[in-house]
Every structure is written in structure tokens, then in C-alpha cells.
Amino acid sequence: MTMADDLPPDEDDSNLLGDQDFKAAFGEDLAQTLKLETWSSGVDPKEIMARFQREISTAVQREDRVRALIREKLLPRIAGRKHGPAEAGVFRALPGELSTIHEGLLFPGNVIAVLGTAVSHQSLPLSITQIGVAAVGYHGSAGTFSQNLFRKELAAKDTNSLQEAVDCIANRHNTKAAIHREILSRLAQRGIRTYAERAVLVDKVTAEWRIGHGNPFAHELLTGSGHVGLLKASLQVLERLVRVQQKFVFVSNAQPEQGLMTLGLALDAGEYIVFENLERQTKNLFRSWKETDPRLPLTRRFVHTICPDVLLGVFRVSNRTAPRLFYAHREHVHMAARVAMADSIVRVEKSYPLLLDVAELTCRSKFGEDGFEGFVQDAYAQAGAHLQYLLERESRR
């Protein structure tokens, strides 16, 4: 095992870039950047603003030029391209169609959005993670669900030997044990939360249409976050989502597919692209897995049988705001795009489904960090521990 094997992914040095890569990206030598003599002394707002305006103006002009080329030469080729789905192409949602969705689906409460949150407390004796999920529509909340996970640093033992104390110190000092604790923390905060969002959307919501966040086939679900139990449960929920529910749309507020986002910026308001199915994307997940990995046959079957039925696209509801990625079942992809766009133009300055924002606010109010920390601190005080296990919150990232 190498040192890289012990490091979290973002600290693995196997993907280090050279100085030439730095120069190509930033336009200057790394050695020059590191010389403090080249740094400004203090802050000169006038100089900073002039530099920002110059750099941003140049970048925007380049993007506008690329946008015109994409709109003229590439967008017409999306439909009918080799290896693309039959549904691929550039389409337009008319204002009247979106108004009909407002009146017939959204505002009567026939669309429900689901979003979750996770907060955690880490201390020497105990780690606590609270997961909350909210389902909301325009008629109000359709339900909230929560789970608390307690990961104990010390297992219960009847002995009071010296070895028990030595083992405790060694385990907390061990690098591999620390990485293991970090993996378990990510499992609780991301893997289980992401699974719970989809499980609530599939099994606890009865509305005709459902809105979710991000990629429905999230990486942490298709890998099980390293746990076969989570993988099996996730694949079952996702298969029901695709084969039974079908009327769903997931929207991302991140930019993981920058190539597709660049195509999206070439769209005019009201247009959307249906681009490809998720089979190609998800195949990359298990290419590095060993044939003996117990997850491999499960994920491979899912990718080949379920992923082709979910399509990836991008829509734009305003020329002043960013496009958004969306995911939908191929049988309902055009209606799904319109549902997402109709909810996004309710607050056009953000161009993101308002119901997802409402679900997030609901989660924060019910399962937010402030209330959670209050419960934790009160419980420590009741246990007679007061502040000795409560560390300052890390402020530097």
C-alpha cells in the first residue's frame, strides 16, 4: 500500500500538475506568483476594480464569440447525431405551455419537491449526525422525515484495564482509523442523506410529478459510498423511480457538466436541449473496480438496464441567468423540462425551481445547525460534561 492509498482523494498526489499547466491556466509562471515582491501592498480598490473589469470583459467577449458559433453551427447538429438518443435535440417551451403547467399542476399541488440536509457534531467521545428530508408543494408541506446517527468512539466494555486506555489513544492517533472515521462521516452526511431524498420522493410522495435535486443516479448511490448495503437499497429505490414513477425531473444548481453548460449558454430563454442518456456517464464509475468487487455485477446490471431510460439535458428560462441541467425519464422528458422551467420562472432571477428552495428552507428551519447544536450542548451539560468536549467550529476552509 502506498502513501497515496492512505490519503483522501483530494490529497492524492498522483494527479499533480506541472508548472507549465499553471502558466497555461493563469498566464504567468508559478515562480513569479510566489514572489512576494510581485504582490500588492494592501488593498487598492481602484486598481482591483480596473483589473477585474478588464479580465471579466475579455472573458465575456470570448464567451459571446463561442456562444454565437455554438448556436449557429453546433445546436442544429444535436438532433440525429451518432450515438445520441432518439429524443435528442433543441426544443422550445412556449409561454402558454408553462402557464398551463402553473394552473394545472404546480399551484394545485400536483408537483412535490424533495430535498434533504445533514448536520453533524464531532467530538472525542461521540459523533452525531442528523439527517432531515422535506417534501413540499404549493399547498404546503407533504411531510418531513429525520434520522439521528450516533457513532461512538469507544465500544462498551466491562474491563477497566490499562490496555483499554492504551488502545483508545492508539486508535484515535492512527491515520488509517482517522480516514475510516472520515469515510463513515461522509457515508452518513452524503450517502444516506442522498438515498433518503430519493426514497422519500418514491415511497412517501403521492403527487403526480416529483422534483429532486442533482443527478438522480448520484455517485454516492451507485458506489454505495463503499457499502454494499447502501448500494443495494439505492438501486432498488432508483429502479422503482424509473420503472414505476417515471414522472420526475431532477435539477442541478451546480455545474458538473461544463461542456453541456456551455451548450446551455447558447440557448435563448425558453429553449432546452435533450442531450444524452446516463449510460455513458455511469459506465465510468466501475471501470477501475476489480472483477472481485461485490458491487460490480449489481452496478453493471443497473447501468445497462436502467440508465438508458433517463436522459440528461439543459434548459434556460432567462437570457440574464445561467442554464440548468435536468434529468428526466425518456417517456416524459419534454413535459419534465416544462415542469422544471415553469417552476423556475416563478422566481426568474434565480432560474431554479422555487419548490426546491422552499424544501431547503423547510429543512433548515426544522433540522438546521443552530437548533441541532443547541440540543447537543444541552445534552452535554445535562451529562455533566459542559464544554470540555465542544471544540471551536473550524472557520478556515
Side-chain angles (χ1 to χ4, degrees):
M1 179 174 287
T2 65
M3 183 178 293
D5 293 325
D6 291 335
L7 292 173
D10 57 344
E11 297 182 24
D12 186 345
D13 64 2
S14 61
N15 294 316
L16 289 179
L17 301 177
D19 288 358
Q20 291 303 315
D21 297 300
F22 182 91
K23 184 173 183 178
F26 293 98
E28 61 182 48
D29 291 326
L30 177 58
Q32 183 73 8
T33 301
L34 297 179
K35 289 182 179 179
L36 291 183
E37 292 81 2
T38 67
W39 290 41
S40 301
S41 178
V43 177
D44 184 344
K46 186 176 180 179
E47 180 183 344
I48 291 176
M49 182 57 70
R51 177 73 184 275
F52 279 21
Q53 289 177 345
R54 183 169 64 252
E55 295 290 347
I56 290 174
S57 177
T58 301
V60 169
Q61 289 174 13
R62 286 197 298 263
E63 288 293 330
D64 287 343
R65 186 167 61 251
V66 171
R67 180 185 189 276
L69 289 172
I70 292 173
R71 188 159 185 86
E72 177 186 356
K73 299 182 180 298
L74 293 184
L75 292 189
R77 299 185 181 186
I78 291 177
R81 77 186 191 283
K82 189 177 181 180
H83 304 307
E87 298 84 357
V90 181
F91 307 92
R92 175 174 291 278
L94 301 176
E97 295 172 333
L98 302 185
S99 295
T100 300
I101 291 172
H102 285 149
E103 298 168 3
L105 287 177
L106 279 167
F107 298 151
N110 294 322
V111 180
I112 296 294
V114 173
L115 196 70
T117 188
V119 293
S120 65
H121 162 82
Q122 308 284 338
S123 68
L124 282 175
L126 183 69
S127 295
I128 308 171
T129 299
Q130 178 178 266
I131 301 170
V133 179
V136 302
Y138 281 105
H139 274 190
S141 174
T144 56
F145 310 85
S146 66
Q147 176 68 280
N148 289 295
L149 302 175
F150 301 86
R151 180 172 57 81
K152 304 171 184 64
E153 293 294 336
L154 291 179
K157 293 183 179 180
D158 295 331
T159 64
N160 291 306
S161 66
L162 173 63
Q163 188 60 45
E164 181 181 353
V166 172
D167 290 345
C168 171
I169 295 173
N171 182 62
R172 290 175 175 174
H173 189 67
N174 185 279
T175 301
K176 290 183 179 178
I179 293 174
H180 181 67
R181 290 194 293 270
E182 177 63 25
I183 291 173
L184 288 174
S185 178
R186 288 201 302 267
L187 168 68
Q189 291 193 52
R190 295 189 58 183
I192 296 176
R193 184 205 70 203
T194 306
Y195 162 80
E197 289 177 351
R198 282 128 182 91
V200 168
L201 188 145
V202 172
D203 296 327
K204 298 296 183 180
V205 172
T206 59
E208 179 182 358
W209 276 88
R210 296 109 194 263
I211 300 179
H213 171 260
N215 184 338
F217 303 158
H219 178 274
E220 52 266 38
L221 300 184
L222 295 193
T223 62
S225 298
H227 293 74
V228 176
L230 176 61
L231 174 64
K232 289 180 177 179
S234 299
L235 296 185
Q236 290 172 4
V237 165
L238 295 176
E239 188 164 341
R240 293 199 303 276
L241 173 70
V242 175
R243 289 188 167 173
V244 179
Q245 172 54 34
Q246 295 192 2
K247 292 185 177 182
F248 62 84
V249 59
F250 280 69
V251 181
S252 176
N253 63 354
Q255 297 187 7
E257 290 281 343
Q258 294 200 358
L260 189 52
M261 291 293 288
T262 303
L263 287 175
L265 282 169
L267 296 174
D268 284 336
E271 293 180 334
Y272 64 96
I273 296 172
V274 177
F275 192 68
E276 66 177 355
N277 68 48
L278 293 191
E279 184 176 11
R280 180 193 63 82
Q281 283 191 327
T282 48
K283 274 182 179 178
N284 296 328
L285 282 176
F286 53 79
R287 283 180 176 171
S288 62
W289 293 4
K290 297 179 180 178
E291 285 296 325
T292 55
D293 193 318
R295 300 172 298 171
L296 186 57
L298 300 173
T299 303
R300 183 178 283 161
R301 184 199 70 83
F302 182 87
V303 167
H304 292 321
T305 61
I306 303 299
C307 288
D309 286 334
V310 177
L311 302 179
L312 166 63
V314 58
F315 67 82
R316 198 173 190 192
V317 298
S318 170
N319 291 334
R320 292 180 173 271
T321 56
R324 301 291 184 184
L325 298 182
F326 75 95
Y327 305 79
H329 194 284
R330 67 187 320 151
E331 294 292 332
H332 305 280
V333 64
H334 297 294
M335 187 63 176
R338 286 163 170 78
V339 168
M341 295 171 76
D343 198 28
S344 297
I345 64 172
V346 173
R347 191 169 57 176
V348 71
E349 69 275 8
K350 190 170 183 181
S351 297
Y352 178 71
L354 179 58
L355 281 177
L356 284 176
D357 274 348
V358 174
E360 181 180 8
L361 290 172
T362 302
C363 280
R364 286 181 182 177
S365 66
K366 288 183 174 291
F367 312 113
E369 189 171 11
D370 290 341
F372 171 74
E373 286 292 341
F375 285 127
V376 169
Q377 292 182 25
D378 183 66
Y380 272 107
Q382 293 295 328
H386 300 288
L387 302 178
Q388 67 192 54
Y389 295 117
L390 301 179
L391 302 178
E392 289 279 343
R393 187 175 300 156
E394 187 176 345
S395 59
R396 180 171 179 171
R397 300 295 180 187

